[in-house]
Amino acid sequence: MSRQIAVCNQKGGVGKTTTVLNLGAALAELGAQVLLVDLDPQAALTASCNHDPYNLTRTTYTLLTRENASVAACLRTVSRNLHLLPGTVDLAAAEIMLANDPNAPYRLRNAMTNNRIPIDYVLYDTPPDLGVLTVSALVAANELLIPVQCQYLSMRTVRALLETVWLVHKKMNPALDLLGVLATMYKEHSDHSKDVVDELRSVFEDKVFEVVIPDEDAVAEAPAAKKSLLAYQPNSVAAGAYRKLAEAIHHER
């Protein structure tokens, strides 16, 4: 059975897409079959995987809006062991179309349940809000990973997310559990970054990953090259951090 991990935070710019792509690439390096699912209307994950979100006909929008749509028909291969369910700008319309549909949060889960392609990990990239698309990922997933930028204001948004997660767990998906909190954009010589990580550990204790993702130029440059960080600068400090994160998660299997 695949591990399905929703990567969520209602604040934008905290490293959700970066984490999905590079954690996925690192898990694929370990030999796991990994599926990345782009649920963000900005489709940054899709673009970072060298696909044009304006010129795709079969996407996550298809899975959310068409009955009996096939995961296999929408899937694209990124690299060895790494696959993508691409997103599209049309997802913004899906958010509106599905707003009043009581079955909307279950459509993605149903599509993934019917998938027959052998996958070890499914990683969901979500938009920076708590709307239908994010809730769909939380309903489909069995684990939640929360990236938190090492800034005070980023940390404040986690509470609202966890309130939504608690409601989803109670009413829609009792299998959903917190995998961990990941500190991102960590500045090694910044007291503020250290204070944020210390505060996270005081609140979430052992649910905060030991590894932190450094604030490194290569992290921002890789999407422009339409590659994962591990492919763009495999020997960078941040690439090593994502490998350590993948190893920590993979060893929990």
Side-chain angles (χ1 to χ4, degrees), residues 70-252:
S70 166
V71 169
C74 302
L75 185 143
R76 307 293 180 99
T77 296
V78 178
S79 59
R80 183 181 180 186
N81 300 335
L82 187 63
H83 314 280
L84 172 72
L85 281 177
T88 171
V89 293
D90 292 336
L91 284 167
E95 186 89 54
I96 298 170
M97 290 170 56
L98 300 173
N100 296 317
D101 181 353
N103 294 317
Y106 302 96
R107 291 188 177 210
L108 181 62
R109 182 170 74 181
N110 293 340
M112 298 307 299
T113 299
N114 293 330
N115 172 49
R116 295 293 178 263
I117 300 171
I119 294 292
D120 298 304
Y121 292 92
V122 181
L123 305 180
Y124 296 95
D125 187 25
T126 59
D129 59 45
L130 299 175
V132 172
L133 299 175
T134 297
V135 171
S136 294
L138 293 172
V139 171
N142 45 42
E143 297 175 271
L144 169 66
L145 191 158
I146 307 174
V148 178
Q149 183 183 9
C150 288
Q151 291 186 4
Y152 176 71
L153 291 178
S154 179
M155 191 169 57
R156 285 174 57 88
T157 64
V158 177
R159 179 177 178 179
L161 170 62
L162 290 178
E163 289 175 353
T164 299
V165 169
W166 182 83
L167 288 173
V168 170
H169 181 276
K170 182 179 179 181
K171 297 185 177 182
M172 301 178 184
N173 183 9
L176 182 64
D177 194 14
L178 177 61
L179 172 61
V181 176
L182 177 67
T184 63
M185 304 179 195
Y186 181 84
K187 298 181 186 294
E188 184 178 0
H189 301 295
S190 165
D191 289 339
H192 183 63
S193 285
K194 294 175 184 176
D195 290 344
V196 169
V197 173
D198 288 344
E199 180 67 18
L200 288 172
R201 295 196 194 284
S202 72
V203 174
F204 295 100
E205 300 178 341
D206 61 352
K207 283 295 186 180
V208 180
F209 290 104
E210 286 296 323
V211 64
V212 298
I213 307 301
D215 186 20
E216 193 174 23
D217 287 345
V219 178
E221 294 167 359
K226 301 187 186 304
K227 294 180 179 180
S228 73
L229 176 63
L230 280 70
Y232 177 68
Q233 284 198 16
N235 297 321
S236 63
V237 176
Y242 276 113
R243 289 190 178 98
K244 289 180 182 178
L245 176 64
E247 289 166 1
I249 291 172
H250 194 56
H251 289 160
E252 292 185 10

Side-chain angles (χ1 to χ4, degrees), residues 20-21 24 34-38 45 49 78 82-86 123:
V20 168
L21 177 55
V34 182
L35 176 59
L36 313 178
V37 182
D38 192 348
L45 176 62
C49 291
V78 178
L82 187 63
H83 314 280
L84 172 72
L85 281 177
L123 305 180

